[in-house]
Amino acid sequence: MNTAPAPGPARNPSPAPRRGGGAPRATTNRPPRRFDRPGERRRPTDRRGGRPGSATRQIQRILRRPNALSTRTTRTADYYPEPVAANAVRIIPLGGAEEVGRNMLAMEVGATGDIIVFDVGFQFVSEDSSPGVDYILPNTKYLEKNAARVKGVVITHGHLDHIGGIPFVMSRFGTPPIYTQNLTSIMIQRRQEEYPDVPKLEIIEVETGQTVTIGSTKVTFFPVTHSIPFSMGASIETPQGNVVISGDLKLDHDDGIPSEREQKTWGGLSKNKNIFFIADSTNAEKDGFSIPEKRVNQTLEEIIKTVSGRLIIGTFASQFERMIRIIEVAEKLGKKIVTEGRSIKTNLEIAEKTGLLKIEKSTVIPAQDIGNYPPDKIVILTTGAQGEEFAALMRIATHQHKHITLNERDTIVLSSSVIPGNEIAVQKLKDNLYRHGVTLIHYRSSDVHSTGHGNTGELVWMNKQVGAKFFMPYYGYYSMLACHAKAVEQSGFPRENIIMPDNGKIIDIVDGETLHAHKEKVPSAPMIVDGFTIGDIQEVVIRDRQSLAKDGMFVIIASVNLKTGKLRKSPDIISRGFIYLRESQDLLNQARLLIKKTIEDSTQGMNPIDLDYVKNNLTDVIAGFLFQRTNKAPMVIPVLIGM
Ligand SMILES: [Zn+2]
């Protein structure tokens, strides 16, 4: 028995199938197809081989089928610039300039030849745009090309959009040493333990205020306020002046007046000759000053004191200070804490290890002991405030938690904002919570959350303090960068000295005076982590998944007599996500007839029978037929068995 495999994406289908008589066309000689965008149909430009009167052939020509994709044929060569001149510095955002996440920026110092990388993040992606992909990474090709000159990686803080890519990409450019602070270092190492096969990291712990020499380049770290402790920015010394990179940050302030600590930090930076300031734009679409964390703590403290029943607080596990504050207040009031969610447990362990959290052993109790205490003595700290399907809070809300069942005396605080893209999930969560008759407090109803990123009032203040010649908004979608740029410009900063980044953009500052952006970019297409594989984004694979999600699949199984070219029996059809077969008997019968006819026509006079050729032909005809009849383009997979 000879089973012919289904056509792979690399094979180029015949544009003009030949029928009968002569030898079949060699599959390898077929011209490659253009690489079209998803969902785009091929235009009827190729008229060769069309048989008058055959509707399916017509459609076949205009139909772009998803299962016959080829790779890009007119791929331009990647661009890699020469090393930057000795009197210049170069900045290349490799990720994070067109999205929130996968932050990574490379800086090349002309005088020393050193390349230093700032942050190695990843980004979670939505199921809709990239089905099956777990997360995407910054493109590291430029660093791989220049690996010998990459002297170190600075990690500004422990959020995943700044450390998430480390296990996947560090070895691609020689696993250079990582410079970061204590807590961040522990968080990086914790994650690393989940990937035992990757090369060991060299982490050099630093403190803010400290100056280290990376390669031959001096880098000084300064403390910044953010939603995770031990966040820092970096000031990089070059002969032309300093480049200041903010990391994620906001300002600690009282009604718009920066705290003394902030004044000191930023005042210190202002004394240097700064040529370039790169700053966090994430919250730049909001004006004024963000809510200070102090107020959030006061509000939460008030709630913990006054609530009479059980209190359940949903928050981000990375909100160390907030969780610590909640636990301390609860302990003071003689309440017991229950923690739910692995990331919260892990991070509280880290907090204890680093000395951030000091509590009595008996304060934290296991969930099964809840019944041993009166409800007003219980505070539950849980993950899942973003409506994540399998997180603890959703399980509690949907009766799937072993030990916690909600009732109308419970108060629930969602101490987080809604991350864009999670709106529907959070709505579902709130609905499920309200079904229990609980009292719900969230950031819209009360100051129970503050962002970790500064509003424009804060950003403009920082920019003035740094007083650099050039400015680049960074970390965020273009709208955020644009609002940041506008605010800075309106504060009197010269417009021509603001540069808008794209991922892969090469920005050279010559003599600290002139800014030059290259026309071409270094490779910046995201790399994906898909289950256990990492690699360049496999557009073909993603597109197949999108097509499957959209129009489903249509599998044809037929046994062909290799001597006569006739079918052994009526073909089998399996379809998923396309149409409901039981109600489409008419369509199915016609499809079966067409399959039989196409196979038998294709094999007529063919000797020996080339099943690959028949299969391509069959795919084209059936895809055309289905599209004509249903206006859908399912992935057609013929399985021909030669007997
Ligand atoms: Zn952050």
Side-chain angles (χ1 to χ4, degrees):
M1 195 165 96
N2 163 24
T3 306
R11 197 191 314 283
N12 301 303
S14 167
R18 289 170 52 162
R19 298 152 47 88
R25 182 186 295 237
T27 50
T28 45
N29 289 339
R30 288 173 188 148
R33 279 191 169 172
R34 280 195 337 272
F35 190 90
D36 294 356
R37 288 196 300 276
E40 192 176 296
R41 308 261 174 238
R42 189 165 61 157
R43 290 216 302 261
T45 48
D46 181 7
R47 298 235 160 240
R48 287 169 300 130
R51 292 174 68 238
S54 166
T56 53
R57 298 278 157 175
Q58 294 276 339
I59 294 163
Q60 169 205 322
R61 280 202 306 271
I62 61 168
L63 190 66
R64 197 66 194 92
R65 271 189 349 284
N67 63 331
L69 297 168
S70 65
T71 48
R72 201 187 296 265
T73 50
T74 52
R75 197 171 196 146
T76 46
D78 289 338
Y79 175 67
Y80 299 101
E82 290 294 307
V84 70
N87 62 338
V89 293
R90 172 174 290 162
I91 296 290
I92 309 178
L94 293 167
E98 298 169 28
E99 61 271 289
V100 170
R102 70 182 190 106
N103 298 306
M104 180 154 90
L105 179 134
M107 176 175 171
E108 194 175 328
V109 183
T112 59
D114 295 336
I115 295 174
I116 304 172
V117 177
F118 294 85
D119 293 318
V120 183
F122 71 26
Q123 181 187 5
F124 290 99
V125 285
S126 79
E127 239 341 86
D128 304 343
S129 61
S130 315
V133 172
D134 302 332
Y135 23 76
I136 57 176
L137 301 165
N139 194 310
T140 53
K141 278 190 180 170
Y142 161 78
L143 298 176
E144 291 164 35
K145 264 265 184 302
N146 294 288
R149 292 197 291 134
V150 181
K151 301 297 182 196
V153 172
V154 171
I155 301 291
T156 57
H157 65 282
H159 281 152
L160 284 172
D161 54 342
H162 293 254
I163 68 167
I166 291 174
F168 308 111
V169 305
M170 286 292 287
S171 60
R172 289 176 167 251
F173 50 93
T175 321
I178 291 176
Y179 297 79
T180 197
Q181 294 191 83
N182 176 256
L183 177 81
T184 317
S185 162
I186 294 175
M187 295 186 76
I188 292 169
Q189 278 161 344
R190 269 293 163 97
R191 286 200 76 239
Q192 209 70 4
E193 285 164 15
E194 293 169 25
Y195 305 92
D197 298 334
V198 302
K200 232 182 131 37
L201 297 175
E202 180 191 352
I203 302 184
I204 296 161
E205 277 186 23
V206 299
E207 282 173 21
T208 52
Q210 191 185 342
T211 302
V212 297
T213 307
I214 302 177
S216 331
T217 307
K218 280 192 173 150
V219 181
T220 306
F221 306 107
F222 59 92
V224 297
T225 306
H226 188 41
S227 43
I228 187 165
F230 295 96
S231 293
M232 64 183 193
S235 173
I236 304 99
E237 253 178 65
T238 82
Q240 295 82 40
N242 289 16
V243 173
V244 180
I245 299 173
S246 76
D248 281 358
L249 81 175
K250 64 194 277 192
L251 271 186
D252 181 26
H253 67 93
D254 268 312
D255 294 327
I257 297 164
S259 69
E260 232 171 82
R261 196 170 54 86
E262 299 279 16
Q263 307 249 19
K264 193 167 154 247
T265 301
W266 293 93
L269 285 169
S270 72
K271 293 194 185 98
N272 303 329
K273 184 200 172 194
N274 296 318
I275 53 172
F276 201 19
F277 183 40
I278 298 165
D280 174 16
S281 303
T282 310
N283 231 6
E285 287 178 286
K286 292 204 180 95
D287 286 336
F289 282 67
S290 60
I291 302 171
E293 188 70 17
K294 281 189 288 258
R295 196 178 320 154
V296 175
N297 285 338
Q298 283 160 6
T299 313
L300 286 173
E301 205 170 322
E302 209 42 48
I303 293 170
I304 298 169
K305 268 186 201 146
T306 51
V307 158
S308 56
R310 263 192 322 193
L311 181 62
I312 298 161
I313 304 175
T315 191
F316 299 117
S318 59
Q319 290 277 8
F320 282 87
E321 275 145 342
R322 195 175 301 168
M323 292 195 301
I324 289 166
R325 193 81 201 111
I326 290 167
I327 295 173
E328 284 171 354
V329 172
E331 187 178 76
K332 218 164 57 191
L333 296 167
K335 300 196 181 203
K336 299 294 176 193
I337 296 280
V338 175
T339 56
E340 281 295 316
R342 193 168 72 105
S343 49
I344 283 190
K345 288 181 204 289
T346 306
N347 285 359
L348 287 179
E349 241 173 71
I350 292 174
E352 280 201 82
K353 200 171 157 187
T354 50
L356 289 169
L357 175 67
K358 294 184 191 87
I359 45 161
E360 299 287 328
K361 272 263 168 295
S362 61
T363 299
V364 178
I365 60 161
Q368 58 262 36
D369 293 355
I370 281 184
N372 303 344
Y373 302 88
D376 66 342
K377 290 287 173 207
I378 295 288
V379 177
I380 300 168
L381 209 49
T382 174
T383 55
Q386 292 296 314
E388 301 95 319
E389 198 181 345
F390 301 106
L393 192 53
M394 189 60 110
R395 284 190 284 117
I396 294 171
T398 53
H399 299 279
Q400 290 173 56
H401 196 282
K402 245 190 183 162
H403 305 291
I404 304 170
T405 317
L406 295 175
N407 63 57
E408 61 272 9
R409 291 182 306 281
D410 292 330
T411 301
I412 294 166
V413 178
L414 298 183
S415 178
S416 66
S417 58
V418 181
I419 294 175
N422 292 350
E423 293 86 353
I424 293 171
V426 172
Q427 185 59 51
K428 230 192 238 171
L429 174 70
K430 288 201 292 188
D431 288 347
N432 277 316
L433 290 171
Y434 272 122
R435 280 181 193 282
H436 298 275
V438 301
T439 305
L440 191 60
I441 302 170
H442 51 84
Y443 79 107
R444 285 196 192 283
S445 60
S446 178
D447 289 339
V448 288
H449 176 70
S450 84
T451 163
H453 307 271
N455 293 5
T456 53
E458 297 154 72
L459 299 172
V460 163
W461 184 86
M462 291 172 202
N463 193 64
K464 283 222 162 106
Q465 295 291 308
V466 174
K469 167 110 184 173
F470 298 102
F471 161 70
M472 181 179 99
Y474 185 42
Y475 310 128
Y477 289 102
Y478 193 85
S479 66
M480 301 165 182
L481 310 182
C483 289
H484 193 175
K486 191 149 267 170
V488 166
E489 189 192 329
Q490 279 166 358
S491 76
F493 196 88
R495 185 190 195 145
E496 61 275 15
N497 290 358
I498 300 175
I499 181 130
M500 297 299 290
D502 296 306
N503 292 330
K505 191 166 190 166
I506 306 158
I507 301 153
D508 293 348
I509 298 172
V510 184
D511 291 324
E513 285 295 327
T514 0
L515 196 140
H516 165 66
H518 293 220
K519 269 207 203 77
E520 281 142 303
K521 295 177 189 171
V522 301
S524 61
M527 300 198 301
I528 62 168
V529 179
D530 168 5
F532 295 106
T533 59
I534 310 166
D536 284 299
I537 188 142
Q538 303 159 22
E539 289 174 64
V540 174
V541 175
I542 304 289
R543 193 124 47 104
D544 276 358
R545 290 179 190 168
Q546 277 166 344
S547 140
L548 283 170
K550 196 164 149 266
D551 289 336
M553 63 193 271
F554 192 88
V555 182
I556 302 158
I557 303 166
S559 319
V560 183
N561 183 324
L562 286 176
K563 286 206 185 72
T564 64
K566 301 278 180 219
L567 287 194
R568 294 269 179 188
K569 61 182 179 74
S570 181
D572 287 325
I573 292 172
I574 302 167
S575 111
R576 290 288 181 273
F578 167 50
I579 47 166
Y580 190 50
L581 287 187
R582 281 199 190 163
E583 288 177 0
S584 317
Q585 285 306 323
D586 190 33
L587 181 81
L588 279 187
N589 288 336
Q590 287 177 27
R592 279 204 189 90
L593 285 177
L594 189 59
I595 291 164
K596 184 170 156 61
K597 185 171 180 326
T598 308
I599 294 175
E600 295 185 354
D601 280 0
S602 308
T603 55
Q604 198 185 7
M606 187 190 270
N607 189 20
I609 286 169
D610 176 354
L611 285 180
D612 271 354
Y613 168 77
V614 178
K615 240 169 28 189
N616 284 332
N617 212 357
L618 183 63
T619 308
D620 285 349
V621 172
I622 296 303
F625 167 75
L626 295 175
F627 183 66
Q628 186 198 32
R629 292 292 304 271
T630 64
N631 216 18
K632 286 182 180 175
M635 183 180 290
V636 175
I637 304 173
V639 181
L640 298 187
I641 302 163
M643 305 172 84

